């Protein structure tokens, strides 16, 4: 007789674990880690100072309502702090949304090359992920709408999307929202919004502020340089935010993150410096890599998706191994349905220059 063992709920063991970007090159050598879209500028100096101050208060529970941080976010983005919920990374907010709105028998839609946390969150609560194909590695609103059924509870949309770097003009987001049933929650994941410089782009602040079924998620992990602290937030209708507050851990964000986040979001010059660095390098990296004969998907974020030739010795896994030998770590994106591409984060001047040079050698066949 087989022993009785604790068994996860149906579907949990069908979840493919999230595999983060590698942290090290071959033999532990890491010259440049460009695998997780972290900022080369690091966090604001005021955020680091606030983090250090938190060391004097570690025996105390954090402020479970995150009121100072919500006020700081509200001031920086012009939002009502009462309609903000903070979490341990925007990953936690995405899971809270799935927990509150998705259950067994429900469906939730994400796009073909969408962020892999969506299907994990959907399946975690017993839901079924439904994949909407993309067109030219870009969200296709009609493909999403064509997959809405009476079981659809949530649509997850990363705008800009990771790992493609493409974006949906906001008129298209509005068209999607207008055609969704009012009881379907539209999640606008704007993790890279601060980087985007396009007149037809909006992160979703106004829509999440006015519609009853739109929530926007944001992160401190990317442009604010606080990925190690795990901090993100969501903004949306009072009813949705109230639901998320009810199920979050009572102290889900630690004091160091609360203090550092509030300081980071108030440091506008630091953010602008990061945008300027990206604005300088994003077109340059795209241009240089294209000149090497690689195909680069036009990106509006702080990373580029690089497509490799379908030729022996020249494919993405070959390039990855070649770069790792030099201590340069990019992101394999096979799990995103892009086996012959690598994603490169825009890094420091040295990181970008050396990565371009290494890829030039790789394409030339240099040892
Ligand atoms: C599109 C997108 N959403 C959300 C996240 C999660 O960020 P975090 O949990 O660090 O806030 C990421 C991180 O890679 C992302 O690319």
């Amino acid at each position: 007789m087989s022993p009785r063992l604790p068994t996860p709920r149906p579907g949990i063991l069908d979840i493919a674990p999230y595999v983060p970007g590698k942290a090290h090159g071959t033999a532990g050598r890491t010259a440049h880690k460009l695998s997780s879209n972290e900022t080369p500028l690091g966090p604001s100096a005021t955020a680091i100072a606030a983090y250090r101050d938190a060391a004097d208060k570690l025996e105390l529970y954090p402020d479970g309502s995150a009121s100072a941080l919500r006020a700081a976010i509200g001031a920086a983005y012009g939002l009502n702090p009462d309609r903000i919920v903070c979490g341990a990374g925007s990953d936690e907010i995405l899971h809270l949304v799935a927990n509150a709105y998705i259950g067994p028998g429900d469906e939730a839609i994400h796009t073909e090359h969408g962020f892999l946390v969506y299907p994990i969150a959907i399946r975690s609560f017993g839901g079924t992920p439904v994949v909407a194909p993309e067109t030219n590695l870009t969200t296709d609103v009609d493909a999403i709408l064509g997959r809405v059924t009476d079981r659809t509870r949530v649509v997850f949309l990363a705008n800009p999307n990771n790992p493609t770097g493409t974006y949906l003009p906001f008129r298209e987001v509005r068209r999607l929202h207008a055609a969704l049933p009012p009881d379907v929650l539209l999640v606008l994941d704007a993790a890279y919004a601060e980087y985007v410089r396009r007149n037809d782009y909006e992160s979703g602040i106004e829509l999440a502020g006015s519609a009853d079924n739109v929530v926007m998620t944001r992160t401190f992990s990317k442009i604010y340089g606080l990925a190690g602290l795990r901090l993100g937030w969501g903004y949306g209708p009072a009813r949705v935010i109230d639901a998320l507050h009810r199920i979050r851990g009572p102290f889900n964000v630690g004091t160091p993150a609360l203090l550092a986040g509030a300081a980071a979001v108030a440091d506008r010059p630091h953010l602008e410096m990061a945008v300027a660095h990206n604005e300088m390098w994003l077109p340059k990296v795209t241009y240089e890599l294209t000149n090497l004969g690689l195909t680069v998907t036009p990106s509006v974020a702080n990373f580029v998706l690089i497509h490799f030739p379908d030729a022996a010795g020249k494919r993405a896994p070959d390039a990855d191994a070649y770069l790792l030998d030099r201590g340069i770590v990019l992101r394999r994106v096979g799990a995103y349905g892009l086996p012959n591409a690598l994603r490169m984060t825009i890094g420091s001047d040295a990181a970008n220059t050396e990565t371009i040079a290494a890829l030039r050698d790789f394409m030339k066949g240099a040892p």
Side-chain angles (χ1 to χ4, degrees), residues 89-91 115 158 162 189 191-192 219 221-222 230:
S90 48
D91 280 350
F115 186 44
N162 167 26
D189 176 347
Y192 300 94
T219 183
S221 303
K222 307 300 175 184
R230 311 304 301 125

Side-chain angles (χ1 to χ4, degrees), residues 60-66 86-88 92 230 245-258:
L60 302 179
Y61 276 97
D63 168 18
S65 70
C86 298
E92 185 185 6
R230 311 304 301 125
H245 274 302
R246 285 169 193 262
I247 55 171
R248 69 174 171 81
F251 304 103
N252 61 332
V253 180
T255 305
L258 291 175

Side-chain angles (χ1 to χ4, degrees), residues 19-299:
V19 181
K22 284 193 270 288
H24 300 291
T26 309
R29 195 176 96 77
T30 310
H32 303 296
K33 178 180 185 296
L34 304 176
S35 57
S36 300
N37 299 341
E38 295 137 332
T39 173
L41 275 62
S44 151
T46 57
I48 296 172
Y51 171 83
R52 292 211 169 100
D53 285 347
D56 295 334
K57 309 182 183 88
L58 294 182
E59 74 281 15
L60 302 179
Y61 276 97
D63 168 18
S65 70
S67 53
L69 175 60
R70 288 187 296 107
I73 294 169
Y77 287 90
L79 308 176
N80 177 354
D82 293 343
R83 292 175 59 175
I84 295 172
V85 57
C86 298
S90 48
D91 280 350
E92 185 185 6
I93 308 297
L94 298 169
H95 277 83
L96 290 175
V97 167
N99 190 357
Y101 291 94
I102 300 170
D106 293 337
E107 296 175 355
I109 301 175
H110 64 84
T111 67
E112 184 179 358
H113 304 294
F115 186 44
L116 277 177
V117 164
Y118 308 147
I120 294 175
I122 296 163
R123 286 188 202 276
S124 296
F125 299 98
T128 303
V130 174
V131 178
E134 299 181 9
T135 304
N136 293 330
L137 299 172
T138 306
T139 297
D140 181 333
V141 166
D142 295 305
I144 294 176
L145 291 173
R147 278 153 188 82
V148 173
T149 70
D150 56 10
R151 296 181 168 201
T152 309
R153 303 267 62 89
V154 179
V155 173
F156 289 99
L157 179 66
N159 197 27
N161 185 48
N162 167 26
T164 55
T166 56
Y167 77 109
L168 206 52
F170 211 69
R171 62 176 183 278
E172 280 291 283
V173 177
R174 285 193 189 281
R175 184 165 78 82
L176 170 64
H177 173 250
L180 282 178
D183 59 347
V184 171
L185 184 63
L186 175 61
V187 178
L188 298 177
D189 176 347
Y192 300 94
E194 291 85 358
Y195 284 110
V196 186
R197 287 296 173 273
R198 289 287 187 283
N199 289 337
D200 58 355
Y201 175 79
E202 283 178 42
S203 63
I205 284 180
E206 282 187 17
L207 196 56
S210 57
D212 291 328
N213 63 336
V214 179
V215 62
M216 173 189 68
T217 61
R218 305 289 284 248
T219 183
F220 281 89
S221 303
K222 307 300 175 184
I223 204 159
Y224 292 109
L226 296 175
L229 279 183
R230 311 304 301 125
L231 186 60
W233 51 283
Y235 169 71
R239 289 181 59 200
V240 174
I241 298 303
D242 172 61
L244 305 187
H245 274 302
R246 285 169 193 262
I247 55 171
R248 69 174 171 81
F251 304 103
N252 61 332
V253 180
T255 305
L258 291 175
L259 296 183
V265 83
D267 188 348
R268 188 82 205 168
H270 186 75
L271 183 138
E272 277 161 15
M273 217 157 60
V275 172
H277 178 84
N278 202 60
E279 278 291 275
M280 204 243 304
W281 275 107
L282 182 65
K284 194 168 158 71
V285 166
T286 305
Y287 174 82
E288 297 283 350
L289 296 182
T290 306
N291 269 354
L292 301 181
L294 295 162
T295 303
V296 179
T297 300
S299 168

